[in-house]
């Protein structure tokens, strides 16, 4: 299966090289990568770190198209990358993920479920098991007692249909956290559009989680926390002003 590759990154070359190395061994060989698009936001470091991140990406993918915006913003980066794609499938990833072992075949579900829009990698912080029922995430169902819909599409690493990705990018609000726009009445047009599709959670052959989150520990060590209120991000007082622009990227 041929797919465009999208990489969301900041000035954290240590995390970036670890992600690319592990994905290069355990994820990328499962598909035929067509074009590569990366976004390096100017946050978490200096110009030297920025140049290092760009150099690392070019080292793995010499012909990659790399965006270096003047103002950081996770959702803006997602929109920019997704709109640049043209392939039938898009593999989306971020710098702060690690694949410790072979992830297995994550392309097969698209052959079994015609309405499928996304195969999401099962990640270490997710609590739900990946059983036969948990894998296939059907369209959102209304949950009145929660006053929102369940989220069945995510912006976490995974393989998605290109047409769906570009449709979502055209509807996203760059000022809001991208993932939370798929539910909670934050972005009605996007939520309605996504309800026409299904998602799938991919684990290994035993149903285990296949990716690890390295970003949360990176933030914890630095005392950085965020709050999301009505889809907008705010920071705890310990975050230096220079970092506050990275709203959407931090988890």
């Amino acid at each position: 299966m041929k797919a465009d590759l999208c990489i969301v990154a900041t000035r954290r070359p240590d995390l970036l090289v670890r992600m690319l190395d592990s994905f290069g061994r355990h994820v990328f060989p499962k598909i035929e990568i067509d074009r590569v698009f990366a976004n390096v936001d100017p946050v978490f470091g200096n110009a030297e770190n920025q140049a290092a991140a760009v150099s690392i990406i070019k080292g793995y993918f010499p012909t990659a198209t790399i965006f270096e915006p003047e103002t950081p913003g996770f959702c803006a980066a997602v929109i920019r990358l997704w709109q640049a794609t043209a392939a039938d499938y898009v593999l989306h990833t971020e710098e702060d993920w690690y694949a410790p072992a072979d992830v297995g075949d994550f392309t097969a579900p698209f052959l079994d479920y015609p309405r499928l829009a996304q195969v999401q990698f099962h990640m270490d912080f997710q609590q739900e098991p990946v059983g036969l029922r948990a894998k296939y995430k059907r369209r959102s169902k209304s949950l009145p007692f929660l006053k929102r819909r369940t989220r069945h599409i995510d912006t976490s690493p995974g393989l998605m249909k290109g047409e769906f990705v570009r449709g979502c990018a055209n509807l996203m609000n760059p000022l809001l956290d991208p993932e939370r726009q798929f539910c909670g009445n934050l972005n009605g047009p996007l939520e309605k559009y996504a309800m026409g599709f299904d998602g799938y959670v991919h684990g290994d052959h035993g149903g285990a989680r296949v990716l690890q989150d390295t970003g949360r520990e990176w933030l914890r060590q630095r005392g950085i926390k965020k709050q999301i209120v009505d889809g907008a991000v705010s920071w705890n007082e310990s975050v230096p002003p220079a970092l506050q622009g990275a709203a959407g990227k931090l988890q």
Side-chain angles (χ1 to χ4, degrees):
M1 180 180 290
K2 182 179 290 188
D4 284 344
L5 172 64
C6 291
I7 303 170
V8 177
T10 60
R11 293 172 168 175
R12 297 188 288 183
D14 53 338
L15 297 185
L16 177 62
V17 72
R18 190 182 184 203
M19 183 278 287
L20 287 172
D21 180 63
S22 67
F23 273 56
R25 288 180 285 119
H26 302 311
V27 180
F28 297 154
K30 306 298 181 180
I31 60 172
E32 180 183 351
I33 295 178
D34 192 358
R35 297 190 299 168
V36 178
F37 301 94
N39 187 97
V40 181
D41 267 0
V43 70
F44 301 136
N46 53 30
E48 181 179 350
N49 301 132
Q50 179 91 16
V54 171
S55 178
I56 289 169
I57 296 170
K58 285 291 187 180
Y60 282 87
F61 304 105
T63 62
T65 298
I66 302 179
F67 301 101
E68 298 183 72
E70 294 183 1
T71 303
F74 181 35
C75 190
V78 171
I79 293 171
R80 188 177 299 117
L81 293 173
W82 287 9
Q83 287 181 334
T85 65
D88 290 339
Y89 292 90
V90 173
L91 180 62
H92 173 85
T93 188
E94 300 165 21
E95 68 187 354
D96 51 0
W97 294 100
Y98 175 71
D102 191 311
V103 299
D105 181 12
F106 54 86
T107 66
F110 285 105
L111 302 177
D112 299 327
Y113 305 112
R115 201 172 61 186
L116 194 64
Q118 177 189 53
V119 172
Q120 174 196 151
F121 295 119
H122 201 208
M123 294 159 286
D124 58 358
F125 65 83
Q126 292 175 321
Q127 300 301 315
E128 73 274 12
V130 181
L132 183 60
R133 292 185 178 182
K135 281 185 177 181
Y136 188 43
K137 302 171 77 174
R138 295 184 181 276
R139 290 182 299 175
S140 300
K141 295 182 179 180
S142 179
L143 300 177
F145 60 94
L146 293 179
K147 296 183 179 180
R148 70 175 182 86
R149 295 181 183 276
T150 58
R151 186 171 68 229
H152 66 300
I153 299 293
D154 294 285
T155 54
S156 300
L159 183 66
M160 294 172 280
K161 287 185 176 177
E163 182 179 2
F164 173 76
V165 160
R166 292 181 284 275
C168 289
N170 291 335
L171 295 172
M172 282 183 171
N173 182 339
L175 301 180
L176 301 178
D177 183 88
E179 189 166 87
R180 287 165 178 79
Q181 294 183 53
F182 286 105
C183 64
N185 299 317
L186 294 175
N187 185 331
L190 176 62
E191 187 172 340
K192 181 178 180 180
Y193 175 71
M195 283 182 63
F197 301 89
D198 292 323
Y200 186 95
V201 180
H202 171 76
D204 69 9
H205 296 296
R209 297 159 178 83
V210 297
L211 291 190
Q212 296 175 3
D213 181 345
T214 60
R216 292 177 182 238
E217 177 62 18
W218 191 94
L219 296 174
R220 187 194 66 78
Q221 292 176 352
R222 291 157 179 79
I224 301 175
K225 297 180 180 180
K226 77 170 181 180
Q227 296 180 343
I228 298 181
V229 179
D230 295 329
V233 179
S234 61
W235 294 102
N236 60 320
E237 294 182 359
S238 64
V239 179
L243 297 184
Q244 294 181 2
K249 181 64 182 79
L250 305 179
Q251 296 292 336

